[in-house]
């Protein structure tokens, strides 16, 4: 294979030509532009290389030809054959240097190939530098994964466990599910940094439901055992495993006549290169082992590496001044061509990478937006109407029966006897969920609140956490007082999926992306606590030093998560986790003291009836010897005492007499004891300074956390093998927040932080607001039910409430568009492509194609004419569906609005949704309406008289055309801020 073909094949790999079967992520986009890219590689690029070569030849030859002409004229004037002159021979040798022959052209192709091959690794561009005599690209990275030079530095980690766990396709009225079961990756002493693969579950991997026509195939994602390593190829291992998987499943189907009759289409290979099963196995494994990272600046990265490559390898600096030194002109010719061609390819690759970056960084749309509130939080002015609608809502009543065992048949059933109240009864803590009601119900409910954001005490977001933090940034920047997170520990057996051979790099990149946003959300006097184990502790601390500053490191807390030894441990029984604590600004953060316990206070007595109250006594002697405080004391009984040998009293003799006079010295009930110093309870600190070791007796352990979940939900929760106790999170919130602060958990899991905030608020009469972010399915199956149950009752056993003493509470929960949803909605506008822009603008294909041809599918401003029906195609419950976007709530986040009221008006037969709020002390009004067929003069009059009235606003936003003077167009701000 010649070097030209080899380069073209590499470029096809770089541009994902080998993934034509894949229809997710960036592959979907690249496959749509397959023809344009193919033409670039096979034609445009080759033409460009040839043109560059000709230009360089011509550039060098021009001056030499002029010089040759002068030699010829001079020789003829002397009657000499100019071809015989030494000058002519010299010029000819120089001109030969500018002839790019086959060898030099081949070297150029090889140089380009070598450069791009070096930094490309299965879909990503990474630093893979090594040092040796042969490979000189050594500085500053030696190949190891270390802080500051991890392989994925300056990239975004974009993988989600949701994609990893589930894969579904439907065909011929059948549904096929691929699902991951937890793999025991430690068995057979496999190392966590070995490559991991998708393998069939060891037992019961094939489950078929003939009535539902659902086939489920279970996989493990793990290292290979020693025996498996012998069975599979060392190259293209996953492909070899896929072939085995396909055969295993096909054998099961073929062995059963009924299965074969129903599922033959799955394994049939007639007239197909691959069976349907093979095709989807490829998609499934490929989807979860590629596209992990997006470069934040691929162009800058590759250009820097190109300069380094040219200087250290093409130039061959080591040979300068030696016998092997090549001619400088040949170097220059080769370098100019290589650099020009590489930059052209870099531009094209950077366009694709920057486009992915744009999609990833884009603020994501709010989709579902619902509210949960206890009955007492319904405003009184609409309470009767709301209760009547609730009593007629079958789905809501059904949920109350399932969650609380409450069968509600009448309005009286909503109340409970409470003798301490004026009328002797109060409302039960039943939780209304607006998802069970229509839009009109929700509009009327929300409109009844005068200060909506102030009333809402919790926010739950179902989203990949980077996307959630990115959307929350404008509203909550610098407002979050305390963050606690429990991220995946990167042990190889948790939910974190890493690129093969880059386990630590992948994890560090994922954490850096999210912690950088978290740092912006933290208040200047805020603090973050992060649970972590030994596996990544050292790396994590260095990362936090970089993000928060090593001067803001507060403490490394040790939590005793287990109370008994693990006898099957290979080395040590792992009985603790770390909780790393960093302040946003250590000089501004003040740690709260822990409340004193009854046991601690019980040590204080008052045997002498001192009017200052209970006291305890302390040793009056100290070991730091000072002869000035070594004196004899006479007790009231007449006994003379001196401090123990080698010690002295802690006060001078004069000060001692003052303490005796103030009744602060205790000589015992008979006045004969060695003197001790009285310390009064009334004079000690209001709390206790926390220690850095937290025992399971103080804050609980893993088994307690599991039991808490089981008591609430009455089921084993296998998703959470290492949950955190409510007591542990309450302690963190006690130390890091006070009554009216905002607390956050963006690896929220089962929702322990929300429960801890509720309990702590009740204990100290606080009003902490919490934000929890979680992507997994258990957002709906565990977190939401958990909070709803805790609101109803604070005590549960086996899934049954033990009291009706719960919490008066309101929280909001939302789901967001995800990165994959954004990709799925990309559409190329063919009419734009048909404008022959590539002919009009030479760099169109390389620099602008993706942005220009897909801009409307990212944000279709034209659809803002009917803002309440803006839709996206998203994946929900493993199916693609059309889902309405909540443009109103999305815009509130984009401008960082603190919402006060959301009201509904009607005019000209259409609905106006009006939001009022504040941002930076500015009063803001936002008006949304359908403007199709709208009479703009009447619209202006209605907005001014009915909506604005006598109120004054600093900023007024409207969507679409309007005649309102001084108003701002929502579309302009939306478009600007969505990609900010």
């Amino acid at each position: 294979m010649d070097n030209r073909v080899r380069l073209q094949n590499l470029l096809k790999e770089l541009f994902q030509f080998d993934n034509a079967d894949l229809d997710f992520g960036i592959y979907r986009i690249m496959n749509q532009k397959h023809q344009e890219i193919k033409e670039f590689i096979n034609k445009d690029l080759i033409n460009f290389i040839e043109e560059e070569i000709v230009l360089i030849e011509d550039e060098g030859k021009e001056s030499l030809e002029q010089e040759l002409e002068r030699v010829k004229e001079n020789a003829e004037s002397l009657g000499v054959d100019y071809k015989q002159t030494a000058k002519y021979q010299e010029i000819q040798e120089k001109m030969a240097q500018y002839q790019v022959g086959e060898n030099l052209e081949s070297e150029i192709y090889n140089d380009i190939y070598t450069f791009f091959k070096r930094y490309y690794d299965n879909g990503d561009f990474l630093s893979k530098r090594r040092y040796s005599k042969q490979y000189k690209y050594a500085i500053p990275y030696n190949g190891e994964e270390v802080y500051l030079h991890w392989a994925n530095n300056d990239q975004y980690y974009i993988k989600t466990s949701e994609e990893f766990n589930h894969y579904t396709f439907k065909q011929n009225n059948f549904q096929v599910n691929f699902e991951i079961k937890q793999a025991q990756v430690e068995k057979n002493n496999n190392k966590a940094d070995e490559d991991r693969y998708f393998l069939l579950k060891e037992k019961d991997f094939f489950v078929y439901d003939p009535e539902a026509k659902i086939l489920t195939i279970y996989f493990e994602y793990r290292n290979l055992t020693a025996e498996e390593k012998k069975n599979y190829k060392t190259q293209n291992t996953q492909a070899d495993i896929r072939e085995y998987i396909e055969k295993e499943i096909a054998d099961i189907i073929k062995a059963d006549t009924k299965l074969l009759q129903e599922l033959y289409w799955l394994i049939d290979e007639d007239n197909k290169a691959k069976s349907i099963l093979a095709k989807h196995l490829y998609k499934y494994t490929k989807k979860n082992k590629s596209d992990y990272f997006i470069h934040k600046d691929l162009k800058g990265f590759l250009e820097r590496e190109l300069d380094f490559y040219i200087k250290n390898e093409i130039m061959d600096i080591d040979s300068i001044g030696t016998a092997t030194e090549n001619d400088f002109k040949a170097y220059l010719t080769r370098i100019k061509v290589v650099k020009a061609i590489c930059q052209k390819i870099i531009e094209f690759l950077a366009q694709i990478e920057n486009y992915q970056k744009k999609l990833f960084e884009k603020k994501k749309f709010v989709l579902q937006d619902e509210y949960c509130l206890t009955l007492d939080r319904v405003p009184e002015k609409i309470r009767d109407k709301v209760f009547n609608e609730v009593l007629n809502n079958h789905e809501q009543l059904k949920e109350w029966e399932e969650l609380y065992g409450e069968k509600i048949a009448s309005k009286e059933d909503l109340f409970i006897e409470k003798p301490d109240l004026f009328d002797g009864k109060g409302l039960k803590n039943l939780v209304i969920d607006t998802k069970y009601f229509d839009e009109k119900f929700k509009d009327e409910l929300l409109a009844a609140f005068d200060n909506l954001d102030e009333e809402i005490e919790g926010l739950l977001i179902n989203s990949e956490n980077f996307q959630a933090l990115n959307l929350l940034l404008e509203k909550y920047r610098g407002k979050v007082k305390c963050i606690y997170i429990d991220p995946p520990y990167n042990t190889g057996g948790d939910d974190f999926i890493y690129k093969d051979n880059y386990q630590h790099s992948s994890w560090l990149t994922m954490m850096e992306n999210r912690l950088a946003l978290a740092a912006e959300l933290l208040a200047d006097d805020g603090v973050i606590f992060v649970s972590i184990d030994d596996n990544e502790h050292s790396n994590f601390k260095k990362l936090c030093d970089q993000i928060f500053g090593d001067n803001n490191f507060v403490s490394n807390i040790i939590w005793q998560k287990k109370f008994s030894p693990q006898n099957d441990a290979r080395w040590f029984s792992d009985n603790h986790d770390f909780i790393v604590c960093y302040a946003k600004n250590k000089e501004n953060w003040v740690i709260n003291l822990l409340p004193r316990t009854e046991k601690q206070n019980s040590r204080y007595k008052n045997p002498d009836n001192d009017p200052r109250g209970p006291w305890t006594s302390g040793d009056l002697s100290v070991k730091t010897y000072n002869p000035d405080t070594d004196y004899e004391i006479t007790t009231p009984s007449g006994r003379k005492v001196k401090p123990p040998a080698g010690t002295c009293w802690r006060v001078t003799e004069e000060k001692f007499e003052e303490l005796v006079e103030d009744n602060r010295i205790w000589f015992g009930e008979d006045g004969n004891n060695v003197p001790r110093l009285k310390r009064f309870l009334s004079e000690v600190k209001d709390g206790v300074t926390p220690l850095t070791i937290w025992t399971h007796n103080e804050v609980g352990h893993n088994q307690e956390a599991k039991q808490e979940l089981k008591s609430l939900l009455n089921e084993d929760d296998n998703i959470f093998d290492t949950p955190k106790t409510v007591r542990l999170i309450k302690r963190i919130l006690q130390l890091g927040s006070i009554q009216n602060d905002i607390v956050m958990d963006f690896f929220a899991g089962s929702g322990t932080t929300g429960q801890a905030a509720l309990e702590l608020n009740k204990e100290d009469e606080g009003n902490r607001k919490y934000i929890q972010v979680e992507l997994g399915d258990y957002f709906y199956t565990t977190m939401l039910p958990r909070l709803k149950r805790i609101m109803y009752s604070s005590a549960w056993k086996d899934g049954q409430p033990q009291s009706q003493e719960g919490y008066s509470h309101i929280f909001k929960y939302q789901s967001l568009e995800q990165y994959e949803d954004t990709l799925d909605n990309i559409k190329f506008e063919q009419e734009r492509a048909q404008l022959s822009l590539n002919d009009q603008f030479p760099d169109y294909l390389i620099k602008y194609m993706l942005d220009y041809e897909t801009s409307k599918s990212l944000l279709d401003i034209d659809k803002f004419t009917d803002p309440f029906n803006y839709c996206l195609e998203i994946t929900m419950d493993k199916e693609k569906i059309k889902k309405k976007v909540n443009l109103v709530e999305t815009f509130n986040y984009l401008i960082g609005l603190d919402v006060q009221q959301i009201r509904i008006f009607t005019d000209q037969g259409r609905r106006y949704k009006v939001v009022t709020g504040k941002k930076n002390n500015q009063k803001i009004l936002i008006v949304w309406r359908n403007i199709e067929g709208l009479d703009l003069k009447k619209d202006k009059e209605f907005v001014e008289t009915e909506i604005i009235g006598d109120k004054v606003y600093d900023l007024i936003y409207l969507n679409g055309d309007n005649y309102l003077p001084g108003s701002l167009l929502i579309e302009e701000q939306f478009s600007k801020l969505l990609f900010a």
Side-chain angles (χ1 to χ4, degrees):
M1 183 188 300
D2 65 28
N3 285 335
R4 175 188 289 194
V5 173
R6 192 169 63 138
L7 174 61
Q8 288 175 316
N9 288 340
L10 175 63
L11 292 177
K12 289 174 183 177
E13 182 184 349
L14 265 60
F15 288 104
Q16 314 291 354
F17 271 39
D18 60 336
N19 293 309
D21 285 339
L22 303 181
D23 59 358
F24 61 85
I26 197 65
Y27 301 115
R28 186 168 178 265
I29 297 169
M30 299 308 296
N31 289 336
Q32 289 191 58
K33 306 310 291 182
H34 180 92
Q35 191 57 42
E36 289 92 334
I37 298 170
K38 182 178 179 181
E39 188 168 340
F40 170 76
I41 293 172
N42 291 338
K43 179 182 175 184
D44 296 349
L45 186 63
I46 302 304
N47 290 341
F48 182 73
I49 293 174
E50 291 175 352
E51 289 169 4
E52 284 294 311
I53 290 172
V54 170
L55 283 173
I56 289 171
E57 287 178 340
D58 292 345
E59 178 186 310
K61 288 178 182 178
E62 186 176 348
S63 61
L64 290 173
E65 285 174 348
Q66 293 173 357
E67 188 176 351
L68 184 62
E69 191 62 32
R70 288 193 295 273
V71 170
K72 183 178 179 181
E73 290 174 358
N74 291 337
E76 287 177 349
S77 66
L78 296 172
V80 177
D81 183 358
Y82 73 95
K83 292 184 180 180
Q84 301 301 318
T85 64
K87 191 65 175 176
Y88 171 79
Q89 298 298 328
E90 180 185 336
I91 293 172
Q92 284 293 99
E93 288 177 6
K94 287 182 179 180
M95 290 186 73
Q97 294 173 7
Y98 285 95
Q99 297 291 336
V100 181
E102 288 186 10
N103 287 341
L104 184 53
E105 184 174 343
S106 179
E107 284 181 348
I108 289 169
Y109 279 108
N110 184 62
D111 290 336
I112 299 169
Y113 172 87
T114 302
F115 173 71
F116 285 105
K117 184 67 174 176
R118 176 164 299 166
Y119 298 103
Y120 183 75
D121 179 56
N122 193 29
D124 296 308
F125 287 92
L126 307 169
S127 292
K128 299 190 296 179
R129 296 179 245 181
R130 303 286 188 273
Y131 180 77
S132 68
K133 186 175 182 180
Q134 181 180 2
Y135 300 114
K136 306 174 184 65
Y137 44 111
I139 301 172
Y141 178 70
N142 257 0
E144 69 273 28
E145 292 186 85
V146 291
Y147 170 66
L148 292 179
H149 298 298
W150 67 82
N152 311 112
N153 190 24
D154 203 32
Q155 299 184 50
Y156 285 122
Y157 172 89
I158 63 168
K159 206 62 184 170
T160 67
S161 60
E162 180 68 15
E163 295 167 9
F164 180 76
N165 287 329
H166 303 293
Y167 181 93
T168 296
F169 66 93
K170 293 183 176 181
Q171 194 159 330
N172 300 339
N173 296 319
F174 289 85
Q175 177 174 310
V176 180
N177 302 323
F178 295 161
E179 293 190 11
I180 287 289
K181 288 294 183 183
Q182 184 67 42
Q184 299 298 318
V185 297
E186 298 85 4
K187 66 183 179 181
N188 299 310
N189 299 326
N190 286 315
K191 296 180 181 178
D193 58 356
E194 289 183 348
D195 287 355
R196 297 187 294 175
Y197 302 96
F198 290 90
L199 299 107
L200 286 173
K201 184 171 171 281
E202 289 190 14
K203 296 179 180 179
D204 303 322
F205 63 80
F206 187 97
V207 178
Y208 178 59
D209 182 346
E211 292 185 8
K213 292 189 174 182
I214 296 176
L215 170 63
T216 302
I217 299 170
Y218 293 107
F219 295 84
E220 293 179 342
Y221 185 64
R222 56 174 173 79
N223 312 134
L224 297 180
T225 64
E227 189 62 32
E228 286 168 337
K229 288 177 183 178
K230 297 176 183 177
N231 295 336
Y232 298 119
K233 298 175 182 175
T234 55
Q235 297 293 323
N236 298 318
T237 308
Q238 185 65 71
D240 192 32
I241 294 171
R242 275 198 303 268
E243 290 182 10
Y244 170 80
I245 291 171
E246 184 184 7
K247 183 178 183 305
E248 281 282 289
I249 295 169
D251 287 347
I252 291 175
I253 294 173
K254 291 174 182 177
D256 187 310
T257 304
K258 188 173 181 180
L259 280 178
L260 184 61
Q261 184 178 357
E262 293 195 8
L263 299 175
Y264 74 92
W265 54 271
L266 189 63
I267 58 175
D268 184 24
E269 298 184 14
D270 291 344
N271 301 319
K272 295 179 182 178
K274 292 181 182 177
S275 69
I276 291 172
L277 176 62
K279 177 181 176 182
H280 285 284
L281 281 172
Y282 174 67
K283 285 185 180 182
Y284 178 58
T285 55
K286 190 71 175 178
K287 182 175 184 178
N288 289 288
K289 290 177 74 67
S290 59
D291 263 356
Y292 285 80
F293 302 100
I294 298 174
H295 247 285
K296 296 177 184 177
D297 181 18
L298 181 63
K299 186 172 185 287
F301 168 74
L302 289 177
E303 284 182 341
R304 288 190 298 273
E305 299 298 327
L306 178 61
D307 287 343
F308 191 88
Y309 172 73
I310 288 172
K311 291 171 186 174
N312 287 272
E313 296 197 49
I314 298 181
M315 285 293 293
D316 196 12
I317 293 173
D318 290 345
S319 70
I320 294 176
T322 69
T324 60
E325 179 181 358
N326 293 319
D327 188 271
F328 179 75
K329 296 285 187 183
Y331 277 139
L332 191 59
T333 301
R334 182 175 162 192
I335 288 168
K336 283 185 175 181
V337 177
V338 168
K339 189 164 187 176
I341 304 308
C342 285
Q343 285 179 328
K344 182 74 73 173
I345 298 170
I346 288 170
E347 287 278 7
F348 205 164
L349 291 169
Q351 179 196 179
I352 297 167
E353 198 79 356
N354 290 341
Y355 184 68
Q356 292 186 81
K357 176 188 169 188
K358 177 181 178 180
L359 301 188
F360 186 71
E361 290 182 337
K362 178 186 87 75
K363 305 292 194 303
K364 300 304 185 285
F365 291 112
V366 177
L367 301 175
Q368 186 181 26
D369 180 46
E370 303 294 351
Y371 299 78
C372 289
L373 65 164
T374 46
L375 295 176
D376 66 304
R377 301 301 287 270
V378 177
E380 287 193 18
K381 55 189 172 185
I382 62 165
R383 190 169 285 180
D384 286 340
K385 184 177 182 181
V386 168
F387 287 0
N388 286 333
E389 291 202 39
V390 168
L391 290 170
N392 287 291
N393 188 298
H394 173 73
E395 291 299 316
Q396 181 64 85
L397 298 181
K398 180 182 175 184
E399 180 179 83
W400 285 350
E401 186 172 354
E402 291 174 351
L403 287 178
Y404 316 129
E406 288 271 13
K407 292 185 177 182
I408 305 297
S410 67
K411 193 171 182 179
E412 284 301 311
D413 294 334
L414 301 177
F415 293 86
I416 188 173
E417 291 185 9
K418 289 194 174 182
D420 54 323
L421 296 181
F422 174 73
D423 57 0
K425 64 177 183 178
L427 286 165
K428 294 177 180 177
N429 288 307
L430 297 166
V431 179
I432 297 172
D433 188 337
T434 59
K435 77 174 181 179
Y436 296 121
F437 300 85
D438 60 21
E439 197 70 24
K440 182 181 177 184
F441 174 89
K442 188 159 70 173
D443 287 342
E444 291 179 355
L445 176 63
L446 298 183
F449 290 96
D450 294 326
N451 198 336
L452 186 58
D453 274 3
E454 188 62 30
E455 291 278 352
I456 295 170
E457 297 154 327
L459 173 61
L460 277 60
I461 299 183
N462 181 221
S463 170
E464 190 278 322
N465 48 21
F466 177 91
Q467 303 302 338
L469 296 174
N470 197 29
L471 183 63
L472 294 174
L473 198 56
E474 190 61 31
K475 181 167 182 173
Y476 292 99
R477 181 183 277 109
K479 294 181 181 179
V480 179
K481 185 64 176 293
C482 179
I483 294 175
Y484 168 74
I485 56 172
D486 181 19
Y489 286 0
N490 198 21
T491 60
D494 50 32
D495 283 339
F496 179 71
I497 313 306
Y498 56 84
K499 192 176 183 71
D500 291 341
N501 301 319
Y502 295 95
Q503 179 178 1
H504 302 292
S505 291
S506 299
W507 188 86
L508 282 169
T509 299
M510 182 273 291
M511 292 302 298
E512 185 276 335
N513 297 161
R514 286 141 188 82
L515 288 176
L517 291 176
E520 293 191 59
L521 291 166
L522 269 181
D524 198 47
D525 60 347
V527 64
I528 182 170
F529 296 84
V530 183
S531 286
I532 199 69
D533 70 354
D534 290 300
N535 193 55
E536 290 288 4
H537 179 268
S538 60
N539 288 329
F540 181 71
K541 187 177 183 306
K542 291 172 185 175
L543 177 63
C544 286
D545 286 344
Q546 180 189 20
I547 293 173
F548 299 103
D550 57 0
N551 56 312
N552 287 317
F553 170 70
V554 177
S555 188
N556 195 44
I557 300 159
I558 294 174
W559 169 48
Q560 186 187 12
K561 64 182 180 181
K562 298 176 186 175
F563 57 88
S564 59
Q566 185 178 343
N567 293 322
D568 60 349
R570 185 177 180 185
W571 293 291
F572 290 90
S573 177
D574 177 21
N575 280 40
H576 76 278
D577 276 349
F578 298 106
I579 301 175
V580 179
C581 177
Y582 278 79
K584 176 69 174 290
N585 186 329
K586 198 171 174 180
E587 297 302 314
N588 293 337
W589 181 56
V590 178
I591 190 170
N592 302 317
L593 300 176
L594 295 174
R596 300 185 64 84
T597 65
E598 289 185 14
K599 183 178 180 181
Q600 289 167 332
N601 289 339
S602 67
R603 298 171 188 155
Y604 291 79
K605 310 291 183 184
N606 196 359
D608 60 350
N609 295 315
D610 195 306
R612 288 165 291 195
W615 53 268
T616 188
S617 64
D619 193 350
L620 192 63
S621 65
V622 292
K623 292 181 179 179
T624 307
Y625 184 76
N626 181 351
D628 294 335
T629 57
D630 186 357
Y631 51 89
E632 187 176 75
I633 293 175
T634 303
T635 70
S637 67
R639 186 164 74 98
K640 298 185 182 299
V641 294
K642 293 197 71 174
T647 70
C648 61
W649 304 120
R650 67 175 58 242
V651 294
T652 63
E653 191 168 4
E654 182 181 2
K655 179 65 177 176
F656 176 77
E657 294 300 331
E658 291 176 7
L659 292 171
V660 170
E661 185 68 24
D662 195 27
N663 192 22
R664 287 181 178 269
I665 299 297
W666 176 246
F667 291 96
E669 291 185 9
D670 58 1
N672 193 47
N673 290 357
V674 174
R676 291 176 67 83
L677 182 65
K678 291 167 67 174
R679 294 188 175 92
F680 292 91
L681 178 61
S682 59
E683 295 176 354
V684 300
K685 292 189 294 186
D686 290 336
V688 179
T689 301
L691 304 175
T692 57
I693 296 178
W694 297 356
T695 67
H696 71 86
N697 291 323
E698 298 173 76
V699 295
H701 47 76
N702 282 342
Q703 290 305 314
E704 177 181 319
K706 288 183 178 182
Q707 188 56 47
E708 286 173 347
L709 271 179
K710 188 173 181 180
S711 295
L712 268 170
L713 306 176
N714 194 27
E715 58 186 31
D716 290 325
D717 197 337
N718 294 323
I719 295 174
F720 302 101
D721 288 329
T722 55
K724 302 300 180 282
T725 65
V726 175
R727 286 198 287 161
L728 175 69
I729 309 306
K730 275 169 62 177
R731 169 166 289 192
I732 288 170
L733 299 186
Q734 280 176 325
L735 298 176
S737 68
I738 55 177
Q739 279 85 343
N740 295 304
D741 287 333
I742 298 174
V743 300
M744 173 181 273
D745 182 349
F746 52 86
F747 284 94
S750 65
T752 310
T753 300
Q755 181 178 342
L758 278 175
E759 291 191 11
L760 188 58
N761 281 342
K762 192 168 188 175
E763 290 175 13
D764 65 9
E765 299 181 346
N767 188 34
R768 292 171 185 80
K769 296 179 184 292
Y770 60 86
I771 300 171
Q772 296 188 115
V773 180
E774 180 55 54
L775 174 64
D777 288 342
Y778 36 90
F779 179 91
Y780 294 101
T781 61
T782 304
M783 185 188 295
L784 277 177
R786 177 179 195 160
L787 279 174
K788 289 178 180 179
R789 290 183 183 229
I790 285 297
M791 289 162 69
Y792 177 78
S793 172
S794 59
W796 290 78
K797 183 178 180 181
D798 298 329
Q800 300 300 315
Q802 303 302 295
S803 76
Q804 290 189 333
E805 292 297 321
Y807 302 90
S808 173
H809 188 53
I810 303 178
F811 70 83
K812 173 165 67 173
Y813 67 94
Q814 300 173 319
S815 64
L816 304 184
E817 168 200 15
Q818 297 301 293
Y819 174 66
E820 284 291 328
D821 295 327
T822 307
L823 286 166
D824 285 344
N825 282 273
I826 295 299
K827 291 181 175 60
F828 287 86
E829 294 186 60
Q830 297 302 320
E831 62 272 18
R832 293 195 175 201
Q834 291 168 5
L835 294 176
S836 301
L837 291 171
N838 200 24
D839 296 332
Q840 297 178 40
F841 304 100
D843 287 337
Y844 171 74
L845 178 69
I846 293 175
K847 294 183 180 179
Y848 311 112
M849 173 185 67
L850 293 177
D851 264 335
Y852 185 76
E853 293 182 22
T854 65
S855 59
K856 287 192 72 174
S857 56
L858 294 179
L859 180 65
D860 193 345
I861 294 298
D862 295 340
K863 292 182 180 178
F864 276 54
T865 56
D866 184 11
F868 309 121
N869 288 301
Y870 192 109
C871 292
L872 288 179
E873 186 180 81
I874 68 160
T875 300
M876 183 172 286
D877 296 327
K878 306 177 186 178
E879 291 187 13
K880 301 288 185 187
I881 63 168
K882 286 284 185 181
K883 180 76 175 177
K884 283 186 181 180
V885 168
N886 190 329
L887 292 179
V888 176
E889 189 68 10
T890 305
F891 189 63
N892 292 344
Y893 278 126
L894 291 179
I895 64 174
L897 186 71
D898 290 323
V899 177
Q900 293 176 314
Q901 280 192 318
I902 299 178
R903 296 173 294 162
I904 302 298
F905 295 84
T906 303
D907 186 58
Q908 299 186 56
R910 70 192 66 226
R911 177 170 165 253
Y912 284 69
K913 193 161 190 174
V914 178
V915 182
T916 56
K918 288 186 176 181
K919 172 68 187 297
N920 297 332
N921 294 319
Q922 286 187 312
K923 294 183 67 177
I924 297 173
L925 172 71
I926 308 169
V927 180
W928 295 86
R929 70 267 196 259
N930 185 333
I931 64 170
E932 294 174 343
L934 182 64
D935 185 322
L936 294 180
K937 289 184 179 179
K938 291 182 179 179
D939 172 67
K940 174 180 178 292
E941 181 181 347
F942 177 74
V943 172
E944 289 180 330
T945 57
E946 298 298 323
I947 296 177
I948 299 176
D950 59 358
K951 297 182 179 66
V952 178
Y953 295 97
D954 298 300
L955 294 173
I956 299 176
Y957 294 94
L958 280 86
N959 71 297
D961 296 336
N962 67 85
Y963 289 165
L964 198 70
S967 66
L968 300 171
L969 194 62
I970 286 176
E971 289 86 335
E972 288 183 359
Q973 287 298 307
F974 209 108
S975 180
K976 174 184 175 183
L977 296 173
L978 197 69
F979 299 99

